[in-house]
Amino acid sequence: QVLLVESGGGLVQTGGSLTLSCAASKTIFTFNTMGWYRQAPGRERELVASITIDGGSTNYADSVKGRFTISKDDHKNTVYLQMNNMKPEDTAVYYCRALDYTYRVNWGQGTQVTVSS
């Protein structure tokens, strides 16, 4: 098991910005992909964005395209999610996810993001 520790969540007003960080306890070259999921009250956990560690190809949910950007720093073993022009609908617990080369899934414990009107 690899520990994934999220940080950067908090309260922001509509139209504001936040940046989330996910730090892995070992080299991220352990993983095929890393990404961010979110879960709002009464709703299923959904993919927000993902990135391949080899090559840096990205994928985004339609609801966040043009507003959110996923990136990585291989030396710091960290994946980021920059969130701009935030909306109340973005309010959720955000989870970091990593898939390794043996197809095991690793989850962070989550960080709360709240967007006020």
Side-chain angles (χ1 to χ4, degrees), residues 99-111:
L99 179 69
D100 70 20
Y101 284 97
T102 67
Y103 306 104
R104 293 184 64 186
V105 176
N106 300 271
W107 290 98
Q109 65 181 355
T111 185

PDB file of all heavy atoms in Angstrom, residues 99-111:
ATOM      1  N   LEU A  99      -3.490   4.273  -9.723  1.00  0.00           N
ATOM      2  CA  LEU A  99      -3.560   2.908 -10.231  1.00  0.00           C
ATOM      3  C   LEU A  99      -2.147   2.441 -10.540  1.00  0.00           C
ATOM      4  O   LEU A  99      -1.453   3.064 -11.347  1.00  0.00           O
ATOM      5  CB  LEU A  99      -4.424   2.848 -11.487  1.00  0.00           C
ATOM      6  CG  LEU A  99      -4.574   1.484 -12.152  1.00  0.00           C
ATOM      7  CD1 LEU A  99      -5.390   0.546 -11.281  1.00  0.00           C
ATOM      8  CD2 LEU A  99      -5.215   1.635 -13.526  1.00  0.00           C
ATOM      9  N   ASP A 100      -1.706   1.338  -9.910  1.00  0.00           N
ATOM     10  CA  ASP A 100      -0.346   0.871 -10.135  1.00  0.00           C
ATOM     11  C   ASP A 100      -0.289  -0.168 -11.256  1.00  0.00           C
ATOM     12  O   ASP A 100      -1.307  -0.526 -11.852  1.00  0.00           O
ATOM     13  CB  ASP A 100       0.295   0.363  -8.833  1.00  0.00           C
ATOM     14  CG  ASP A 100      -0.298  -0.937  -8.312  1.00  0.00           C
ATOM     15  OD1 ASP A 100      -0.935  -1.687  -9.080  1.00  0.00           O
ATOM     16  OD2 ASP A 100      -0.102  -1.223  -7.111  1.00  0.00           O
ATOM     17  N   TYR A 101       0.917  -0.669 -11.542  1.00  0.00           N
ATOM     18  CA  TYR A 101       1.116  -1.561 -12.682  1.00  0.00           C
ATOM     19  C   TYR A 101       0.622  -2.979 -12.427  1.00  0.00           C
ATOM     20  O   TYR A 101       0.615  -3.789 -13.358  1.00  0.00           O
ATOM     21  CB  TYR A 101       2.591  -1.571 -13.078  1.00  0.00           C
ATOM     22  CG  TYR A 101       3.004  -0.331 -13.819  1.00  0.00           C
ATOM     23  CD1 TYR A 101       3.622   0.731 -13.163  1.00  0.00           C
ATOM     24  CD2 TYR A 101       2.758  -0.200 -15.183  1.00  0.00           C
ATOM     25  CE1 TYR A 101       3.984   1.874 -13.852  1.00  0.00           C
ATOM     26  CE2 TYR A 101       3.121   0.938 -15.875  1.00  0.00           C
ATOM     27  CZ  TYR A 101       3.734   1.971 -15.200  1.00  0.00           C
ATOM     28  OH  TYR A 101       4.099   3.104 -15.894  1.00  0.00           O
ATOM     29  N   THR A 102       0.203  -3.278 -11.196  1.00  0.00           N
ATOM     30  CA  THR A 102      -0.459  -4.543 -10.896  1.00  0.00           C
ATOM     31  C   THR A 102      -1.970  -4.369 -10.798  1.00  0.00           C
ATOM     32  O   THR A 102      -2.674  -5.262 -10.319  1.00  0.00           O
ATOM     33  CB  THR A 102       0.085  -5.165  -9.596  1.00  0.00           C
ATOM     34  OG1 THR A 102      -0.275  -4.362  -8.474  1.00  0.00           O
ATOM     35  CG2 THR A 102       1.593  -5.306  -9.647  1.00  0.00           C
ATOM     36  N   TYR A 103      -2.476  -3.211 -11.232  1.00  0.00           N
ATOM     37  CA  TYR A 103      -3.897  -2.880 -11.293  1.00  0.00           C
ATOM     38  C   TYR A 103      -4.527  -2.697  -9.916  1.00  0.00           C
ATOM     39  O   TYR A 103      -5.743  -2.786  -9.774  1.00  0.00           O
ATOM     40  CB  TYR A 103      -4.665  -3.909 -12.114  1.00  0.00           C
ATOM     41  CG  TYR A 103      -4.097  -4.103 -13.491  1.00  0.00           C
ATOM     42  CD1 TYR A 103      -3.339  -5.224 -13.808  1.00  0.00           C
ATOM     43  CD2 TYR A 103      -4.300  -3.146 -14.487  1.00  0.00           C
ATOM     44  CE1 TYR A 103      -2.803  -5.385 -15.071  1.00  0.00           C
ATOM     45  CE2 TYR A 103      -3.761  -3.310 -15.750  1.00  0.00           C
ATOM     46  CZ  TYR A 103      -3.018  -4.418 -16.035  1.00  0.00           C
ATOM     47  OH  TYR A 103      -2.481  -4.580 -17.295  1.00  0.00           O
ATOM     48  N   ARG A 104      -3.713  -2.441  -8.894  1.00  0.00           N
ATOM     49  CA  ARG A 104      -4.237  -2.120  -7.573  1.00  0.00           C
ATOM     50  C   ARG A 104      -4.587  -0.636  -7.510  1.00  0.00           C
ATOM     51  O   ARG A 104      -3.862   0.210  -8.032  1.00  0.00           O
ATOM     52  CB  ARG A 104      -3.232  -2.463  -6.483  1.00  0.00           C
ATOM     53  CG  ARG A 104      -2.961  -3.945  -6.317  1.00  0.00           C
ATOM     54  CD  ARG A 104      -2.035  -4.196  -5.144  1.00  0.00           C
ATOM     55  NE  ARG A 104      -2.640  -3.791  -3.887  1.00  0.00           N
ATOM     56  CZ  ARG A 104      -2.002  -3.794  -2.726  1.00  0.00           C
ATOM     57  NH1 ARG A 104      -0.732  -4.190  -2.661  1.00  0.00           N
ATOM     58  NH2 ARG A 104      -2.630  -3.415  -1.626  1.00  0.00           N
ATOM     59  N   VAL A 105      -5.697  -0.327  -6.857  1.00  0.00           N
ATOM     60  CA  VAL A 105      -6.168   1.045  -6.706  1.00  0.00           C
ATOM     61  C   VAL A 105      -5.842   1.549  -5.304  1.00  0.00           C
ATOM     62  O   VAL A 105      -6.118   0.873  -4.312  1.00  0.00           O
ATOM     63  CB  VAL A 105      -7.678   1.148  -6.960  1.00  0.00           C
ATOM     64  CG1 VAL A 105      -8.168   2.570  -6.704  1.00  0.00           C
ATOM     65  CG2 VAL A 105      -8.003   0.721  -8.383  1.00  0.00           C
ATOM     66  N   ASN A 106      -5.263   2.737  -5.243  1.00  0.00           N
ATOM     67  CA  ASN A 106      -4.957   3.400  -3.984  1.00  0.00           C
ATOM     68  C   ASN A 106      -5.761   4.690  -3.885  1.00  0.00           C
ATOM     69  O   ASN A 106      -5.833   5.459  -4.849  1.00  0.00           O
ATOM     70  CB  ASN A 106      -3.459   3.724  -3.893  1.00  0.00           C
ATOM     71  CG  ASN A 106      -2.579   2.493  -3.967  1.00  0.00           C
ATOM     72  OD1 ASN A 106      -2.274   1.866  -2.956  1.00  0.00           O
ATOM     73  ND2 ASN A 106      -2.169   2.122  -5.172  1.00  0.00           N
ATOM     74  N   TRP A 107      -6.358   4.941  -2.715  1.00  0.00           N
ATOM     75  CA  TRP A 107      -7.161   6.133  -2.471  1.00  0.00           C
ATOM     76  C   TRP A 107      -6.589   6.955  -1.325  1.00  0.00           C
ATOM     77  O   TRP A 107      -6.134   6.410  -0.325  1.00  0.00           O
ATOM     78  CB  TRP A 107      -8.595   5.759  -2.095  1.00  0.00           C
ATOM     79  CG  TRP A 107      -9.426   5.193  -3.203  1.00  0.00           C
ATOM     80  CD1 TRP A 107      -9.677   3.881  -3.452  1.00  0.00           C
ATOM     81  CD2 TRP A 107     -10.134   5.938  -4.207  1.00  0.00           C
ATOM     82  NE1 TRP A 107     -10.497   3.750  -4.546  1.00  0.00           N
ATOM     83  CE2 TRP A 107     -10.795   4.988  -5.029  1.00  0.00           C
ATOM     84  CE3 TRP A 107     -10.273   7.291  -4.481  1.00  0.00           C
ATOM     85  CZ2 TRP A 107     -11.579   5.371  -6.117  1.00  0.00           C
ATOM     86  CZ3 TRP A 107     -11.046   7.674  -5.560  1.00  0.00           C
ATOM     87  CH2 TRP A 107     -11.694   6.722  -6.359  1.00  0.00           C
ATOM     88  N   GLY A 108      -6.637   8.278  -1.476  1.00  0.00           N
ATOM     89  CA  GLY A 108      -6.389   9.162  -0.355  1.00  0.00           C
ATOM     90  C   GLY A 108      -7.617   9.242   0.531  1.00  0.00           C
ATOM     91  O   GLY A 108      -8.680   8.713   0.205  1.00  0.00           O
ATOM     92  N   GLN A 109      -7.497   9.923   1.673  1.00  0.00           N
ATOM     93  CA  GLN A 109      -8.604   9.987   2.613  1.00  0.00           C
ATOM     94  C   GLN A 109      -9.597  11.102   2.302  1.00  0.00           C
ATOM     95  O   GLN A 109     -10.672  11.143   2.893  1.00  0.00           O
ATOM     96  CB  GLN A 109      -8.091  10.142   4.046  1.00  0.00           C
ATOM     97  CG  GLN A 109      -7.356  11.436   4.323  1.00  0.00           C
ATOM     98  CD  GLN A 109      -6.846  11.503   5.760  1.00  0.00           C
ATOM     99  OE1 GLN A 109      -7.111  10.632   6.578  1.00  0.00           O
ATOM    100  NE2 GLN A 109      -6.099  12.550   6.056  1.00  0.00           N
ATOM    101  N   GLY A 110      -9.274  11.997   1.397  1.00  0.00           N
ATOM    102  CA  GLY A 110     -10.194  13.026   0.950  1.00  0.00           C
ATOM    103  C   GLY A 110      -9.975  14.369   1.606  1.00  0.00           C
ATOM    104  O   GLY A 110      -9.490  14.457   2.736  1.00  0.00           O
ATOM    105  N   THR A 111     -10.345  15.436   0.888  1.00  0.00           N
ATOM    106  CA  THR A 111     -10.283  16.790   1.410  1.00  0.00           C
ATOM    107  C   THR A 111     -11.546  17.541   0.994  1.00  0.00           C
ATOM    108  O   THR A 111     -11.988  17.448  -0.152  1.00  0.00           O
ATOM    109  CB  THR A 111      -9.009  17.519   0.930  1.00  0.00           C
ATOM    110  OG1 THR A 111      -8.916  18.802   1.545  1.00  0.00           O
ATOM    111  CG2 THR A 111      -8.981  17.695  -0.580  1.00  0.00           C
TER     112      THR A 111
END
